[in-house]
Amino acid sequence: MFGPPSAPITPYRAPDVDRCAIAAEAGGGPTAPSRQEGLSIGLRRLIVLGLNLATIAGLAAILLSILGGDGLGVLDMVIFAGFLLATPWTVLGFWNAVIGLCVIHLGRAERSVFPYFTAPGRMPERRGADGRPSDRPLSSRTDLLLFLRNEAPEPIFARLEAMRRSLEATGKARHFRFALLSDTSDAMVAAAERREFDRFAHLFDHLPEDRRPIYRRREENSGFKAGNLRDFLEARPGESDFFLPLDSDSVMGGAVIVKMAMAMEDDPRIGILQSLVVGMPAESGFARLFQFGMRHGMRAFTMGSAWWSADCGPYWGHNALIRTAAFVEHCELPVLPGAAPLGGPVLSHDQLEAVYMRRAGYEVRVIPVETRSYETNPPTLLEFEKRDLRWCQGNMQYWRFLIEPGLLPVSRFQILQAILMYIAPLAWIAMTCAATAQALTGGYDASMLVLGMGLFVTLFFLSVAPKIAGVLDVVLTPGAMKAYGGAPRFLGSAVIELLASMLMAPLVAVYVSVFLVGLCFGKTVVWNGQNRDRLGIAWGTALAALLPQTLLGLALAAALFVGANISAVLLALPFLAGLVLAVPFTVATAAPAFGRLTARLGLFAIPEETVMPPVLRAVVSPKARRWRRPMARAAGDDRAARDPAAGSGEDGFAAEGERA
């Protein structure tokens, strides 16, 4: 079944792997020329900077002229300050999406943006760092590291088994080893983890010891996930050339893992290679709704961001290939002085590890196209909130890193951008409330209320620009709408998702704002197991969690009705509706019936529901794609029997699939 034991692997060591770090220490950065065609990276960044500054300055000038008509008061200054804080993040997202859409449809992205990776259906031959074809076989060793923390292990190991099979299908599984790093504190969950691991490890009994899976559980989770990772890497020096961190909900196809390893071997300048992670088919209606918008929205946004960030790309903490020696030497994070929430170990470790890797002279690159890199998304809004607030607390620890020695200017901007991403909602709420108060101060002033709602609509449009660009991308790409279930299903889902985004925007802004205020008084979150598949939320639970949103919405509606008239309430409805309907929206989208309905109708369908990749066949429930009618598979099975690579995706991810 598994074939004969593999021959020992000669560890891969690029001869110039240390050149980048040496050059960086001398202050010169990487010495090799850029491989990207088209405009230079510096010119691209100047263009993006100019577009963003011009847009922000233009909007600010218009707002200031309106506010300063009869002098600037306190409320005017609150509105203007809030606008300046909330706008940069959303404007950058707008221009990333516009640039990305242009690059996808008017440029040659595989040469101008990501020549370091062989994308599906493009440049199928392997290329070296000089851009010339290379047929050198894979010779590196990669550890696939899965992190566990108090979660049901059965679905986790089902996903691991799917990845194992996918890697076996590539014929290069001997270059990879699984390691499970557990910080589970619950004894019963830990016992279940061990049982599932023993079953999984039994599949490797015929292999040499150095290829068998590893299970390692810490009694204390010092440093959280980043601490667990560093403990493992330092305990096993020199055993791997690269490592691939996986969250407990991660799934990656074997072909993309192999091709990422090839890219890292071919180019020793890359320290981190991040794949574009997308959601897999889900039963939860909320997860389907959320990941549908993210799916097409991320394409243009990520392409535009990669166009200018280039060698200073993002790292999202999982589904990325990382150069082990460089990471161990250069990416150790400090323990911040003081106690939680802003002191102690850094929660959002990924972005800091990326800027540290870049400081050492290595590139951090993102693959801005879909491969076979998946995750699951939270099944309910309340689970989404827990994850979001954990990221929020971690990003608020970034302030002191703005003055960290040796960081590149783009890296400092990325740290500031990560902070502003969560400051923006608080600023947005403050300026919207101030504009409403201004409208009611000294008598109802409709123009000020129009201004407040205009700010809401403008910033909302800028924030959803990546999704709009994503819709245009799908419409302009031949056959793409068919992959989403057809034009009526895709376009209808897109409209519903945008309306749902409008409801969610103020709701999310309020819980982030409340949490940021709580941070000042010591409120904190904890890293624990997540609910990844349980559906349903009780009305009482939703009300307790979303009481601030509900009260704020009702208070603003009452103030506008009493201080102005019903027309003012209707004018503010785009903002008020999300707050007043927070509880029913949360309960409805978490309901199992809503998930069944959306799956039955094919609402919020994603391409994997139309063509199921082999790596997902055993881990995605048929309930997640009820709208697909069963079709005869005899022809496909016969083709797979004649040509195993056709089913494994060995020759590329685009062909890796099976029609339902």
Side-chain angles (χ1 to χ4, degrees), residues 75-89:
L75 291 176
D76 296 318
M77 296 303 296
V78 171
I79 295 171
F80 190 67
F83 179 83
L84 292 180
L85 286 173
T87 302
W89 164 252

Side-chain angles (χ1 to χ4, degrees), residues 464-601:
V464 299
K467 296 180 181 181
I468 296 173
V471 171
L472 293 174
D473 174 34
V474 173
V475 171
L476 294 172
T477 302
M481 282 195 288
K482 185 177 180 181
Y484 282 86
R489 185 173 281 115
F490 172 73
L491 296 175
S493 297
V495 171
I496 297 172
E497 194 277 330
L498 284 174
L499 293 175
S501 295
M502 181 173 288
L503 291 177
M504 281 186 61
L507 190 161
V508 171
V510 171
Y511 75 58
V512 170
S513 301
V514 171
F515 182 74
L516 286 175
V517 173
L519 281 179
C520 300
F521 298 94
K523 183 176 180 179
T524 185
V525 294
V526 295
W527 181 43
N528 213 330
Q530 301 176 55
N531 166 29
R532 301 190 189 274
D533 51 23
R534 294 190 306 275
L535 302 180
I537 294 176
W539 284 90
T541 302
L543 180 60
L546 301 170
L547 190 60
Q549 286 88 338
T550 305
L551 293 179
L552 177 60
L554 292 174
L556 288 175
L560 289 174
F561 181 75
V562 174
N565 50 49
I566 189 62
S567 64
V569 178
L570 294 176
L571 188 61
L573 199 58
F575 179 79
L576 296 177
L579 300 177
V580 175
L581 299 177
V583 172
F585 176 84
T586 299
V587 172
T589 55
F594 179 67
R596 289 194 296 269
L597 178 64
T598 58
R600 177 69 68 185
L601 297 178

Side-chain angles (χ1 to χ4, degrees), residues 39-71:
L39 300 178
S40 68
I41 294 175
L43 183 55
R44 295 181 190 190
R45 290 172 179 168
L46 286 176
I47 291 173
V48 172
L49 179 63
L51 290 172
N52 279 267
L53 290 179
T55 304
I56 295 170
L59 292 173
I62 294 172
L63 176 60
L64 196 59
S65 66
I66 296 173
L67 294 176
D70 55 352

